[in-house]
Amino acid sequence: MPSTFRLILACFIALSACGSAPGGSQSPAARPFNITAIAEFDSPFAMAFLPGTATGLVTEKAGRLWLVDIRTGQKQEIGGLPEVSAGGQGGLLDVVASPRFTTDRLVYLTYSEPSPAAGSGLALARARLDGTRLTNLKVLWRDEGGGEGGQFGAIVAFAPDGQSLFLTSGDRQRMTPAQDPDRPVGKILHLTLEGRAFPGNPSHGPGKARAETWSTGHRNPYGLAFDSAGRLWETEMGPRGGDELNLIKPGKNYGWPLASYGTHYDGRDIPDDHKSRGFEEPKLWWNPSVSPTSLIIYSGKLFPQWKGSAFIGALSAEALIRVTFDGEAARKADQWNMDARIRFVGEGPEGAIYLLEDGGRLVKLTPAAAQARR
């Protein structure tokens, strides 16, 4: 065997063994769960489980919202939605139930809306769910700059105390505004439940975007979740490679588009020296891309061995990824091939894990027989 070939082979074997290292490859594992199809949708984006019920709300990007019984798959369309600018990556996006849903019946929606400034802009609205209709809909926040491009982010997570919310705002494929403190794109925003800048924000004061900003330098943040210790974690799609799992801290800059472990689509390099340039390092990164979407920190009883783990959906990898934590450190644990692009991951009221596939299926994961006997 020629010496050059032996060297290449040795390097390939070494790289294949580093699945738990940041950016390392990861071999698919056998799936330790059963998969049950529940319902079908058209280009679904997100799902919210309604507390105290066996139902959830599912958004379709075209602008439809459905109430679905997770036991039977029966669906009812919800009326009273706002006008949506659907197309490409835009449309009706996230949906979350109020922290006090059992008493106030409020739901929060994010969507792309037609913008007077041309193109579309991200909006956050709130409404009351009355039967199969939204009432008293109110727009709480909007990107008044509008413009062209996808990558809206648009994910909502409530603070652990339920008194405020965090909203991801993607860079709209414009890159440089993610570093502009006077524009809300490429940021994670911290808002009151009424959509105003939260008083405890790092730069609270004059300037709308500055006052709203919690962290800066994000590309397309598609997952946002708190762990049991109150730490805020985020998944972010990189360019060509460089997908990230970040621990989000107030006032920190996460580097996009000045630092990334990926490259531009045209092949141009992006420096990956985060720390020396004052940027936060991702806790994990993937190269090649997996295209991470929704993020949950599992807290249920159906999979007790996974309590405290993160679950991440992946589009291009067609996978469900599990990550474990040790304080502020994260480690890649499992990556299961799902044979479908995974748009959303959620934890149901009974502890089952639910997935929305980009192709339209809502499926439920429950322990396989061997797993259940443990």
Side-chain angles (χ1 to χ4, degrees):
M1 182 184 292
S3 59
T4 301
F5 180 78
R6 284 198 300 268
L7 178 60
I8 293 172
L9 180 61
C11 290
F12 175 79
I13 293 170
L15 286 171
S16 298
C18 65
S20 63
S25 62
Q26 200 169 18
S27 299
R31 296 190 295 223
F33 40 74
N34 297 317
I35 303 174
T36 304
I38 302 297
E40 292 268 354
F41 299 92
D42 183 9
S43 296
F45 190 88
M47 180 176 185
F49 296 94
L50 300 182
T53 76
T55 58
L57 294 171
V58 175
T59 60
E60 292 180 344
K61 288 169 65 179
R64 289 181 292 270
L65 180 67
W66 296 90
L67 183 69
V68 58
D69 188 317
I70 60 175
R71 300 163 300 185
T72 66
Q74 182 179 357
K75 302 186 306 183
Q76 296 175 282
E77 189 168 1
I78 302 298
L81 273 74
E83 181 184 3
V84 168
S85 178
Q89 297 177 12
L92 184 60
L93 302 172
D94 203 11
V95 57
V96 292
S98 159
R100 292 174 287 278
F101 178 82
T102 53
T103 56
D104 63 25
R105 303 288 296 177
L106 295 178
V107 295
Y108 291 71
L109 300 165
T110 62
Y111 54 98
S112 56
E113 63 175 0
S115 174
S120 61
L122 176 63
L124 168 71
R126 184 180 66 194
R128 179 180 171 85
L129 180 63
D130 284 326
T132 57
R133 188 165 187 84
L134 298 180
T135 60
N136 300 323
L137 188 137
K138 177 184 178 182
V139 177
L140 303 178
W141 179 92
R142 54 170 40 107
D143 174 12
E144 296 171 351
E148 304 297 332
Q151 296 179 185
F152 291 90
I155 304 303
V156 174
F158 291 104
D161 64 5
Q163 298 302 309
S164 62
L165 63 85
F166 293 79
L167 171 65
T168 69
S169 177
D171 78 336
R172 300 296 311 276
Q173 297 171 302
R174 301 175 201 152
M175 296 192 290
T176 52
Q179 292 293 328
D180 184 344
D182 293 313
R183 301 180 69 178
V185 296
K187 313 294 191 299
I188 293 177
L189 310 177
H190 186 201
L191 308 174
T192 69
L193 299 182
E194 299 297 325
R196 294 185 288 271
F198 192 77
N201 285 349
S203 298
H204 191 269
K208 185 176 186 295
R210 288 175 185 256
E212 294 166 345
T213 297
W214 188 252
S215 61
T216 298
H218 299 288
R219 185 176 182 270
N220 196 12
Y222 261 168
L224 198 65
F226 283 92
D227 66 19
S228 61
R231 290 178 285 254
L232 182 59
W233 297 89
E234 174 247 21
T235 49
E236 184 167 330
M237 286 191 185
R240 197 167 74 180
D243 298 331
E244 298 176 353
L245 173 71
N246 289 303
L247 175 59
I248 302 301
K249 296 185 176 182
K252 298 298 184 180
N253 190 325
Y254 290 79
W256 178 255
L258 304 177
S260 172
Y261 283 102
T263 59
H264 290 294
Y265 291 117
D266 61 8
R268 287 178 295 128
D269 185 50
I270 305 172
D272 59 14
D273 53 334
H274 289 68
K275 285 186 178 179
S276 66
R277 305 172 73 195
F279 302 134
E280 291 293 298
E281 285 274 3
K283 296 300 181 179
L284 293 174
W285 52 276
W286 287 263
N287 200 344
S289 288
V290 295
S291 307
T293 55
S294 181
L295 167 71
I296 62 167
I297 312 293
Y298 185 76
S299 61
K301 297 180 179 179
L302 205 56
F303 296 98
Q305 72 280 15
W306 293 340
K307 192 170 184 177
S309 290
F311 287 87
I312 302 166
L315 293 177
S316 60
E318 297 190 345
L320 178 64
I321 297 170
R322 185 172 74 91
V323 167
T324 59
F325 299 107
D326 182 5
E328 295 190 353
R331 183 182 70 84
K332 297 173 185 176
D334 295 297
Q335 181 168 319
W336 297 290
N337 175 31
M338 301 303 294
D339 298 316
R341 290 162 54 88
I342 304 303
R343 174 63 65 179
F344 168 85
V345 183
E347 180 184 324
E350 77 284 40
I353 295 173
Y354 288 79
L355 309 178
L356 279 171
E357 299 172 352
D358 226 24
R361 288 200 312 169
L362 170 65
V363 302
K364 178 171 71 171
L365 309 186
T366 52
Q371 196 83 349
R373 287 196 297 267
R374 291 185 180 180

